[in-house]
Amino acid sequence: MNESLLLTLILFSPLLGALAVLLVPGKNNRTILWTAFAFSLIPLALSIYMWVLYQAAPAMDGEFKFSVSVPWFSVVHSNYHLGVDGISVPMVILTALLVPLCILASAKVERMRAFMALFFMLETGVLGVFLSLDLLLFFVFYEIGLVPMYFLIFQWGSPKGKREIHGGKVLPAREYASFKFMIYTMAASLGMLLSIQLIGVTMGTFDLTELYTKWVALQPGDVLLPGVTAGTVKAIAFWAFFLAFALKVPLCPLHTWLPDAHTEAPTAGSMILAGVLLKQGAYGFFRLVIPLFPQEMQAAAPIIAVLAMLAIVLGAYAAYGQTDFKRLVAYSSVNHMGFVVLGIAAVAWAAGSTDAGLKLSGVVAGSGAVLQMFNHGLSAAAMFFLVGVVYERTHTRNLKEIGGRIWQYAPIYGGVLIFSSMASLGLPGLNGFVGEFAIIRGAWPIFTLTTILSMLGLLVTGSYILKGIGSVLHGPMNPKWAEEHPADGHAHSAVGHDAHQHDAHGHDHSAHVTNPLTLKKRHWMEITPLELAVVTPLMVLMLLIGLFPAGLMQVINHTVTTLWGK
């Protein structure tokens, strides 16, 4: 294969999947599902191939591998420029991995053809962000991902719930959440778009590899526009970029759109939102903000570290205060992404230091932040899927209503939930520990007090994780789950139809069905084999990275060291 075409194939192969599901004849959802799943494996296979090639010959001295650059918008000097390094490669693989799992998790959605087509469009938008090396192209893909996510929440979100807005008007909760998601993210992106245009016009190019030297070389006193110096322009552009990416991460107090979007999104939507869409914000700091605004980022690093600490602590407290299982997991994302931003602040501050020890600590923190982006994508996707599994059976996310010794009825589900929860918690031996430990180790010599205060968030993290596990799996027995039939007569598995068997009259006689894994009777609350197939790859990676992080960490660390450790 021509290596220069590899990234283009990865980027646009999901659109081939979208076209395929639109052309599937008839209305057989099963055919649409498996067609979508088969095509989703194409970008995954290509991404794995890219990983193998990259490991054999990683990017050196700040270069990008598998680069392709051809004229795209010649009038404004914008090119179709793609490339990867040790920061973008893990994000591409994470995206390509999660999409097939999200598709399997969506076996019960209505209007499946449109759902799958939108999901493939979303994948292309996300991949474009991680592959683009042109500022204008980056922004186009950054915005493309918003539209499919808006419709996934608006059309396939939770049908329950109402929200009252200004004037006493009542909206469906999913309509409110989708509108809030779109308005928040687009409003924050407006300043970034204006800054991108300003940079491109004044520099005569949108190419990042050129801007890394030309834009940074501008002196504060240089006049870019009549009466406007480069220092002023850089300061305005920096805060515009910062606002856009801080909201996407999201940082406190810009996080309020996230719990609503997560709570109302379909299960697969929450998986991809937490898994990769939030990572676009952190990735933007690594790819654009730190390289283009090193002095501004170093000056703002203490403020950013404090905001990260607030996200860690307040996100954890907010998660602990929730009675909605999905909302608890949503706030946990604010908590965990706070650690990522703490690592970003540390590497940004240390990059401008002449102290070799601080530079090393910054590299450790930065490498840990990129690794934690990948790790959180795995654990958050698993947690949101497991929330969806129990919701499909109980038709409630209220921990007080769910609680009732579910582990007694669904021991496999209970084991999977505990495993995934411990990975999210950061238990040594699982992936969450490695990334957060590296961040804390690196940030400690740089922002000691802020790091100490962040440890309060770790304490509360354990509390909300245990609260979720205890409420779902333990406690007094809930008599509803012991009944021969689901309480509302129509509970079903999150994926597939094998949890129920019906007679000719449509009556359910399958509170217990045969588990093909054990050949024993499985309670209707138990996780199904197809659901287990969704979460198993995530669990395997959580364990492998927890025990053997060096393979992934070396790729990340090489790039971070090259960019900010020398």
Side-chain angles (χ1 to χ4, degrees):
M1 178 187 293
N2 188 339
E3 292 185 6
S4 64
L5 295 177
L6 179 58
L7 299 187
T8 299
L9 291 174
I10 292 174
L11 176 58
F12 292 110
S13 56
L15 296 183
L16 184 64
L19 180 63
V21 297
L22 291 175
L23 295 178
V24 171
K27 298 181 179 180
N28 190 323
N29 279 354
R30 187 176 182 86
T31 302
I32 295 172
L33 172 69
W34 291 111
T35 299
F37 178 71
F39 276 90
S40 71
L41 296 178
I42 296 175
L44 176 59
L46 291 171
S47 298
I48 294 173
Y49 178 62
M50 175 195 68
W51 167 258
V52 172
L53 293 179
Y54 189 91
Q55 275 205 314
M60 304 295 291
D61 298 326
E63 68 175 358
F64 294 89
K65 296 290 292 184
F66 318 120
S67 294
V68 55
S69 181
V70 295
W72 171 55
F73 201 168
S74 301
V75 175
V76 296
H77 308 289
S78 179
N79 295 328
Y80 172 77
H81 190 183
L82 306 180
V84 293
D85 61 4
I87 297 173
S88 51
V89 165
M91 297 299 100
V92 172
I93 294 174
L94 177 64
T95 305
L97 169 67
L98 289 184
V99 170
L101 303 181
C102 290
I103 287 174
L104 286 183
S106 306
K108 297 289 290 184
V109 300
E110 300 175 351
R111 293 163 291 154
M112 184 175 290
R113 190 189 307 273
F115 182 94
M116 295 302 175
L118 285 170
F119 224 91
F120 280 122
M121 292 172 60
L122 175 61
E123 182 178 13
T124 291
V126 173
L127 287 172
V129 169
F130 297 139
L131 295 175
S132 296
L133 292 178
D134 181 277
L135 265 180
L136 197 58
L137 190 67
F138 175 94
F139 182 82
V140 168
F141 283 115
Y142 191 82
E143 295 300 298
I144 283 176
L146 299 182
V147 179
M149 194 68 222
Y150 167 81
F151 283 109
L152 289 174
I153 299 173
F154 183 77
Q155 294 291 328
W156 287 272
S158 174
K160 299 181 179 180
K162 302 288 184 181
R163 290 296 295 265
E164 183 175 339
I165 61 174
H166 179 71
K169 185 178 180 180
V170 177
L171 295 176
R174 63 183 178 183
E175 182 177 335
Y176 171 85
S178 59
F179 183 75
K180 189 175 182 180
F181 164 77
M182 179 64 80
I183 291 299
Y184 268 56
T185 49
M186 287 194 69
S189 299
L190 179 60
M192 180 171 68
L193 173 61
L194 295 175
S195 297
I196 287 173
Q197 291 176 327
L198 182 59
I199 293 172
V201 170
T202 55
M203 293 291 99
T205 182
F206 290 94
D207 192 286
L208 281 173
T209 56
E210 294 183 36
L211 292 173
Y212 286 161
T213 53
K214 294 173 63 175
W215 175 256
V216 175
L218 288 175
Q219 298 302 310
D222 294 344
V223 178
L224 293 183
L225 300 170
V228 182
T229 63
T232 301
V233 173
K234 281 189 175 184
I236 295 173
F238 166 74
W239 287 111
F241 275 97
F242 172 82
L243 179 63
F245 295 138
L247 187 139
K248 198 63 174 278
V249 168
L251 276 177
C252 179
L254 305 173
H255 67 283
T256 58
W257 64 270
L258 181 66
D260 290 320
H262 268 315
T263 303
E264 303 306 327
T267 296
S270 293
M271 291 171 66
I272 203 72
L273 177 59
V276 293
L277 261 69
L278 303 188
K279 310 306 178 291
Q280 291 180 335
Y283 179 81
F285 279 108
F286 278 113
R287 179 60 67 230
L288 302 182
V289 182
I290 302 178
L292 292 177
F293 307 96
Q295 290 84 14
E296 291 79 5
M297 190 65 182
Q298 185 184 31
I303 299 173
I304 297 173
V306 170
L307 293 176
M309 178 271 294
L310 291 175
I312 294 168
V313 176
L314 299 182
Y317 274 107
Y320 183 77
Q322 302 306 308
T323 56
D324 184 306
F325 194 11
K326 199 173 188 183
R327 210 168 178 86
L328 183 153
V329 179
Y331 275 107
S332 76
S333 290
V334 178
N335 166 249
H336 289 298
M337 290 303 293
F339 279 104
V340 173
V341 178
L342 180 61
I344 291 171
V347 70
W349 194 92
S353 173
T354 56
D355 188 311
L358 288 181
K359 276 187 174 292
L360 177 59
S361 294
V363 168
V364 172
S367 300
V370 178
L371 181 62
Q372 185 61 14
M373 289 162 61
F374 187 89
N375 289 339
H376 178 258
L378 300 177
S379 59
M383 289 299 296
F384 277 112
F385 176 70
L386 293 171
V387 172
V389 169
V390 75
Y391 175 75
E392 290 293 335
R393 287 153 171 77
T394 63
H395 298 284
T396 181
R397 295 188 301 263
N398 190 313
L399 292 172
K400 296 178 181 178
E401 297 177 8
I402 294 174
R405 214 177 297 174
I406 287 180
W407 203 346
Q408 177 178 333
Y409 311 118
I412 298 176
Y413 172 83
V416 171
L417 179 61
I418 288 180
F419 184 95
S420 302
S421 297
M422 292 301 104
S424 180
L425 172 66
L427 184 73
L430 298 177
N431 64 333
F433 173 78
V434 184
E436 290 189 359
F437 178 82
I439 293 168
I440 294 168
R441 160 61 185 86
W444 181 270
I446 301 171
F447 301 118
T448 305
L449 179 60
T450 305
T451 306
I452 291 173
L453 294 175
S454 299
M455 295 303 97
L456 294 174
L458 279 183
L459 293 175
V460 185
T461 297
S463 300
Y464 73 69
I465 290 291
L466 293 177
K467 175 184 176 178
I469 293 174
S471 299
V472 174
L473 301 181
H474 302 288
M477 181 181 294
N478 190 329
K480 289 191 294 185
W481 314 145
E483 296 175 4
E484 283 297 306
H485 298 282
D488 60 2
H490 62 273
H492 47 76
S493 66
V495 292
H497 298 267
D498 61 331
H500 289 268
Q501 300 166 349
H502 297 80
D503 62 18
H505 302 287
H507 298 124
D508 189 343
H509 294 289
S510 60
H512 301 273
V513 296
T514 301
N515 186 338
L517 297 180
T518 62
L519 299 181
K520 295 180 179 179
K521 293 297 182 181
R522 170 170 52 82
H523 192 275
W524 59 270
M525 289 286 291
E526 183 59 282
I527 194 169
T528 68
L530 187 54
E531 290 168 338
L532 205 55
V534 174
V535 75
T536 297
L538 301 174
M539 295 172 62
V540 170
L541 285 173
M542 290 178 206
L543 182 62
L544 287 178
I545 295 175
L547 295 177
F548 309 104
L552 182 57
M553 193 61 160
Q554 286 173 356
V555 169
I556 297 169
N557 187 70
H558 184 272
T559 295
V560 174
T561 301
T562 300
L563 294 176
W564 300 296
K566 296 182 179 179

